[in-house]
């Protein structure tokens, strides 16, 4: 069985709209929700980037059933891991146990803003592992003091600690991150239906744990309009994470994608209002072994129409196929 989630994409809508969208997603019957945690949008045309943690607090209070999750937070440069642990614990309390903390090695696009530079990929993975260990130790209660190669923690303690603490997920893209996730995560996160990533996660200790994927879609009764919108706002997604993690600014993504055509995007993103196209786009995730897939509806102003269509048409079709 594959659970179907909804993505609050902070890059394409403001905070009040995002809360409104997740309330509607809960009513429509989505199984869970995730939110991005950005400082910049990928492209200027997306036009937004509110603070994800304020959004999560509001969403926790505005909803009652739907699980919440970061997809994902980088706990190494823009945020200190001790602060991430405090934020996650607070959201878990506000959500009454519905929150999962998704972590990843981050992107230069968002992390450069604090002026600490952008480390090499090897250093980023070292920092992520150290950050995860700090967060896990803080979730255990008591005072934490650490003097590591990347982070200093001086007698930190979470005074409002949920029981249980939020499950911890790690985003993977290669062998090293899969090994880290298998050892230290309660679930794995990936943006591509790559079975080899899941196999590597299981090999390092992840057997039986949830596997969460994400899929961009663009619903519109006018398929050509959907293709235009997907190209305008989501053509960056085809660059791959080795590129996406390094570029520092939306203008960099504009330049890197100037030769990407609408047809290129339409080949990768289901567009229009034929539910069969969306079912077939989810299928590779199900076949790879993902247990959850969060859909990203492209275009902030198109969310309510997508959610209405999902309740009546898309979710029944997906559940018929993958339940």
């Amino acid at each position: 069985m594959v659970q179907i989630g909804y993505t609050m994409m902070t890059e394409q809508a403001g905070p009040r709209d995002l809360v409104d969208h997740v309330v509607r997603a809960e009513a429509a019957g989505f199984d869970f929700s995730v939110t991005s945690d950005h400082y910049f949008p990928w492209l200027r045309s997306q036009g937004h980037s509110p603070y994800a943690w304020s959004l999560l607090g509001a969403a926790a209070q505005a909803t009652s059933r739907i699980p919440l999750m970061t997809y994902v937070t980088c706990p190494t440069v823009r945020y200190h891991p001790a602060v991430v642990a405090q934020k996650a614990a607070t959201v878990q309390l506000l959500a009454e146990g519905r929150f999962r903390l998704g972590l990843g090695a981050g992107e230069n696009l968002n992390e450069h803003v604090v002026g600490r530079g952008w480390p090499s990929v090897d250093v980023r993975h070292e920092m992520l592992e150290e950050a995860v260990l700090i967060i896990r130790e803080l979730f255990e209660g008591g005072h934490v003091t650490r003097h590591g190669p990347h982070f200093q923690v001086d007698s930190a303690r979470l005074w409002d600690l949920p029981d249980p603490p939020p499950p911890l997920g790690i985003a993977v893209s290669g062998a090293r991150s899969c090994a880290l996730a298998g050892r230290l995560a309660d679930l794995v996160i990936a943006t591509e239906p790559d079975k080899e990533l899941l196999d590597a996660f299981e090999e390092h200790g992840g057997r039986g744990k949830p596997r969460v994927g994400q899929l961009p879609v663009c619903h519109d009764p006018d398929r050509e309009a959907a293709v235009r919108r997907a190209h305008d706002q989501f053509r960056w997604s085809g660059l791959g994470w080795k590129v996406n993690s390094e570029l520092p600014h939306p203008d960099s993504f504009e330049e890197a994608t100037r030769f990407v055509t609408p047809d290129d995007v339409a080949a990768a993103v289901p567009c229009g209002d034929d539910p069969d196209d969306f079912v077939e786009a989810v299928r590779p995730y199900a076949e790879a072994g993902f247990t959850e897939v969060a859909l990203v509806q492209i275009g902030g102003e198109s969310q309510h129409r997508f959610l209405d269509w999902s309740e009546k048409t898309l979710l029944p079709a997906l559940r018929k196929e993958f339940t």
Side-chain angles (χ1 to χ4, degrees):
M1 184 176 73
V2 179
Q3 293 189 316
I4 304 300
Y6 173 77
T7 299
M8 292 180 281
M9 191 173 185
T10 59
E11 303 94 296
Q12 64 179 14
R16 294 183 68 86
D17 285 337
L18 288 162
V19 174
D20 178 57
H21 297 160
V22 76
V23 169
R24 180 67 187 94
E26 179 178 66
F30 279 87
D31 297 312
F32 67 101
S33 68
V34 304
T35 184
S36 54
D37 184 359
H38 271 236
Y39 201 93
F40 274 83
W42 297 100
L43 297 168
R44 288 180 180 269
S45 58
Q46 292 176 315
H48 294 274
S49 204
Y51 184 53
W53 291 90
S54 297
L55 168 65
L56 285 163
Q61 293 296 283
T63 59
S64 60
R65 175 196 62 81
I66 194 167
L68 306 168
M69 178 179 170
T70 49
Y71 202 106
V72 293
T73 283
C74 176
T76 61
V77 179
R78 186 167 37 125
Y79 305 138
H80 190 284
V83 177
V84 172
Q86 184 190 33
K87 293 190 291 190
T90 299
V91 172
Q92 177 74 322
L93 289 167
L94 289 170
E96 298 182 300
R98 291 182 285 132
F99 178 65
R100 295 180 293 178
L101 175 61
L103 301 173
E107 300 99 14
N108 194 11
L109 177 70
N110 303 301
E111 306 306 313
H112 80 271
V113 297
V114 296
R116 292 181 56 195
W118 187 231
S120 69
V121 65
D122 288 343
V123 173
R124 297 200 301 266
H125 282 110
E126 289 175 8
M127 295 174 74
L128 179 60
E129 181 167 1
E130 188 177 338
V132 170
L133 293 172
I134 291 167
I135 292 167
R136 281 219 173 274
E137 190 171 357
L138 284 165
F139 281 171
E140 293 173 0
H143 289 80
V144 175
T145 296
R146 272 180 170 265
H147 302 290
H150 300 291
F151 299 106
Q152 305 295 307
V153 183
D154 184 5
S155 191
R157 177 187 172 186
L158 300 180
W159 288 87
D160 291 278
L161 186 64
D163 184 16
L168 194 153
I170 293 178
V172 299
S173 59
R176 184 166 182 177
S177 55
C178 287
L180 173 63
R183 287 188 291 109
L184 297 179
D186 302 305
L187 57 134
V188 69
I189 298 164
T191 57
E192 297 179 5
D194 188 338
K195 187 176 185 300
E196 290 184 1
L197 293 177
L198 301 188
D199 290 344
F201 171 66
E202 291 196 359
E203 179 184 343
H204 290 92
R207 186 173 301 277
K209 297 177 181 178
R211 301 173 293 280
V212 187
Q214 191 177 51
L215 171 68
V217 301
C218 198
H219 166 263
D220 197 292
D222 181 343
R223 186 177 184 278
E224 291 185 3
V227 171
R228 288 194 300 271
R229 187 168 69 245
H231 177 260
D232 179 55
Q233 297 193 23
F234 231 82
R235 62 187 183 274
W236 58 270
S237 65
L239 294 173
W241 287 108
K242 288 185 178 180
V243 175
N244 287 344
S245 63
E246 301 294 342
L247 298 181
H249 193 275
D251 291 347
S252 306
F253 285 89
E254 294 280 355
E255 179 64 20
T257 59
R258 64 193 175 110
F259 296 119
V260 176
T261 69
D263 287 343
D264 293 333
V265 176
V269 176
C271 295
D273 65 351
D274 184 344
D276 290 343
D277 292 340
F278 291 68
V279 168
E280 290 309 308
V282 171
R283 190 177 307 281
Y285 290 84
E287 292 177 347
F290 283 83
T291 57
E292 305 175 41
V293 178
L295 304 182
V296 187
Q297 165 64 6
I298 299 170
E301 295 181 357
S302 69
Q303 298 302 306
H304 275 283
R305 185 164 58 184
F306 167 71
L307 291 165
D308 290 345
W309 178 72
S310 295
E311 181 176 18
K312 297 173 184 176
T313 303
L314 180 59
L315 289 175
L318 290 170
R319 288 179 177 136
K320 179 180 178 181
E321 189 69 23
F322 299 117
T323 299

